[in-house]
Amino acid sequence: MARCTQDQRRRRPDDHHRRLPNDVLIDILTRLPVKSLLRCKCVCKNWYDLIQNPSFAHAHFRLQKLQDKGRIFFQYLRFRFVDDDTSKYRYALFPDETLASDACHDIDFLETPPLAFIYGPVNGLFCVMNNDHRFIIWNPAIREFRILPDHLEFPPNLDVVNLCSIFSGIGFGFDKATDYYKVVLIRHFRVKDTPVVNDISVHVYSLSTNTWRHLNCLDYLSPEYLRRCSTCSGNGAYSDGVYYWWAGTGILAFDMGNEVFRVISVPFILPVEFDKCDVKPYNGDRIALYQFKGFPESGLDKYCDIWVMEEEGSWIKQFSVGPIPCRAFQQGVWKNGELLFLKLIQASYDRRYVFQLVLYNPCTRELRYLGPAEDFIGYQALVYHESLVSVNGTKGKLSDSSVILQ
């Protein structure tokens, strides 16, 4: 038998790559987790170009969502950092409901000071805002981020210097027509030291231009909806090119493509015992309206009716849950329709709130307290699917450096 020369042996792996049909290669690679694909980029230039391609990234993400129920993305502080003025929010990924600390993956390269609000995920990306109103778009799976520009231009007739600016709504989503991500900011301006609203402005950021634009011609929409779509409490959800907020008496929707607002009616009349409503994602690609009502027998519990939107204006009541503790805050839907809640278990005079993650099964009405067992002070828990989607465009390079939003 003829022996291969050393040069032939060195060429053989690359020859195998070339002989593998492209559709077979794509089918294999799209089934791998993100961490493995980042290593596969080093195999050869062909694989690198394929994995970097945005179309491959979106195909991989769609398949991963079908195969995987997602991880728990947790935003937290720790007790030992509480008395430190430089304490930062940190982020961790838990692979399952055990929330075991030895299985936790700390995403320690991104640190944000309190307060930090996180929006998303959308295709594996988050938008993060800190208490100085600075924003980043972030993919924790590939350690990539983009800091959004600070400068926003306001119309000349708006006296922003002598008015107090308050964010009414923040939305983060994907424009399917241009394949770029957008952030929408709704803010109203109040006369200082009074509740009088003087004006409302809307700005849209596009990843394609890396700039903010002021949105004009909003006369077709009642200003009341723009004032009442607060998202700081976690209200709001993105689905299929549209961002949705609860706005007091209806749902305000913003189309990321044509950048137009519209109002969507709700499936019920607000009852006397109505507590509040939240708009949240439901099973990934749909949105749900969570209507909370007090439980009068005890005063310590509440019920939640969950309405799922099949199409705009068409709702189906999925189920009612409860009684649940009044100090439990709905976070999302995980695995087989189980609901994630953050339950407040400790509060002190200096606003140090300690939460525990709870999983609610609507079929058995069972509450399971998941933890974490560590000394977390948790503020948000989300269902997250990792992705290869870049925040830097087609040829964006991975960033190994850390960023501090301050």
Side-chain angles (χ1 to χ4, degrees), residues 2 33 44 76 82 103 122 145 147 154 170 192-193 205 211 214 221 235 299 308 313 337 365 378:
C44 65
Y76 69 94
V82 168
V122 177
F145 58 86
I147 303 174
F154 293 93
I170 298 171
K192 292 181 179 179
D193 301 323
Y205 168 85
T211 57
H214 181 260
L221 184 68
N235 168 48
V308 176
R365 297 190 177 183

Side-chain angles (χ1 to χ4, degrees), residues 75-77 81-82 84-91 111-117 129-132 379 405-406:
Q75 180 192 47
Y76 69 94
L77 291 170
F81 294 140
V82 168
D84 184 356
D85 290 337
T86 62
S87 63
K88 309 288 183 183
Y89 272 123
R90 300 174 73 86
Y91 304 90
E111 298 178 349
T112 56
L115 294 167
F117 300 98
M129 180 192 77
N130 75 349
N131 54 344
D132 292 324
Y379 284 87
L405 235 62
Q406 61 184 13

Side-chain angles (χ1 to χ4, degrees), residues 34 38 41 48 51-58 60-61 122-126 137-146 172 174 179-182 205 207-208 384 386-399:
V34 168
L38 296 181
K41 290 169 65 176
Y48 177 89
I51 296 169
Q52 284 284 95
N53 190 295
S55 297
F56 177 85
H58 284 283
H60 171 265
F61 181 72
V122 177
N123 297 337
L125 303 184
F126 288 106
I137 296 178
W138 173 39
N139 184 334
I142 60 176
R143 301 173 61 86
E144 183 176 297
F145 58 86
R146 169 173 285 194
F172 173 54
F174 182 63
D179 289 341
Y180 277 102
Y181 295 83
K182 292 181 178 181
Y205 168 85
L207 195 62
S208 60
Y384 177 69
E386 293 185 321
S387 83
L388 292 163
V389 175
S390 172
V391 303
N392 293 321
T394 305
K395 297 295 181 181
K397 295 181 180 180
L398 298 182
S399 173

Side-chain angles (χ1 to χ4, degrees), residues 12-200:
R12 181 171 293 168
D14 191 54
D15 289 341
H16 285 315
H17 302 152
R18 296 176 187 278
R19 288 199 296 267
L20 193 64
N22 201 51
D23 57 341
V24 175
L25 176 62
I26 293 173
D27 184 62
I28 294 172
L29 292 181
T30 52
R31 299 176 187 274
L32 297 180
V34 168
K35 187 175 182 180
S36 298
L37 286 171
L38 296 181
R39 294 172 178 166
C40 288
K41 290 169 65 176
C42 302
V43 171
C44 65
K45 186 177 184 301
N46 181 41
W47 285 27
Y48 177 89
D49 290 340
L50 173 63
I51 296 169
Q52 284 284 95
N53 190 295
S55 297
F56 177 85
H58 284 283
H60 171 265
F61 181 72
R62 287 193 298 269
L63 186 59
Q64 291 297 308
K65 287 187 68 176
L66 292 175
Q67 294 179 335
D68 183 15
K69 296 299 183 180
R71 299 183 179 188
I72 297 296
F73 180 94
F74 205 67
Q75 180 192 47
Y76 69 94
L77 291 170
R78 287 186 186 272
F79 275 129
R80 64 175 180 267
F81 294 140
V82 168
D83 294 325
D84 184 356
D85 290 337
T86 62
S87 63
K88 309 288 183 183
Y89 272 123
R90 300 174 73 86
Y91 304 90
L93 283 173
F94 293 92
D96 54 45
E97 66 269 20
T98 63
L99 301 189
S101 59
D102 57 352
C104 156
H105 172 58
D106 274 316
I107 311 170
D108 56 1
F109 82 104
L110 182 75
E111 298 178 349
T112 56
L115 294 167
F117 300 98
I118 187 164
Y119 303 92
V122 177
N123 297 337
L125 303 184
F126 288 106
C127 178
V128 184
M129 180 192 77
N130 75 349
N131 54 344
D132 292 324
H133 300 164
R134 296 192 63 192
F135 292 84
I136 68 168
I137 296 178
W138 173 39
N139 184 334
I142 60 176
R143 301 173 61 86
E144 183 176 297
F145 58 86
R146 169 173 285 194
I147 303 174
L148 275 56
D150 291 334
H151 181 64
L152 277 73
E153 291 188 358
F154 293 93
N157 62 323
L158 186 56
D159 185 13
V160 297
V161 176
N162 297 313
L163 295 174
C164 177
S165 171
I166 301 173
F167 280 115
S168 295
I170 298 171
F172 173 54
F174 182 63
D175 180 358
K176 298 187 296 182
T178 62
D179 289 341
Y180 277 102
Y181 295 83
K182 292 181 178 181
V183 180
V184 54
L185 302 184
I186 306 169
R187 70 171 79 192
H188 61 261
F189 295 86
R190 294 183 179 271
V191 178
K192 292 181 179 179
D193 301 323
T194 73
V196 179
V197 175
N198 190 69
D199 211 333
I200 297 174

Side-chain angles (χ1 to χ4, degrees), residues 326-394:
C326 275
R327 292 187 170 186
F329 305 95
Q330 204 278 329
Q331 299 292 295
V333 180
W334 196 33
K335 299 208 171 180
N336 300 315
E338 293 181 300
L339 304 178
L340 281 170
F341 288 88
L342 277 179
K343 182 179 182 297
L344 183 65
I345 60 174
Q346 179 180 328
S348 60
Y349 67 93
D350 54 357
R351 296 186 178 182
R352 297 176 185 176
Y353 302 111
V354 181
F355 292 89
Q356 190 175 44
L357 198 60
V358 178
L359 199 60
Y360 181 90
N361 188 316
C363 297
T364 63
R365 297 190 177 183
E366 177 189 7
L367 280 173
R368 283 196 293 147
Y369 293 85
L370 306 182
E374 295 287 330
D375 51 357
F376 286 108
I377 306 176
Y379 284 87
Q380 204 161 358
L382 302 165
V383 178
Y384 177 69
H385 293 83
E386 293 185 321
S387 83
L388 292 163
V389 175
S390 172
V391 303
N392 293 321
T394 305

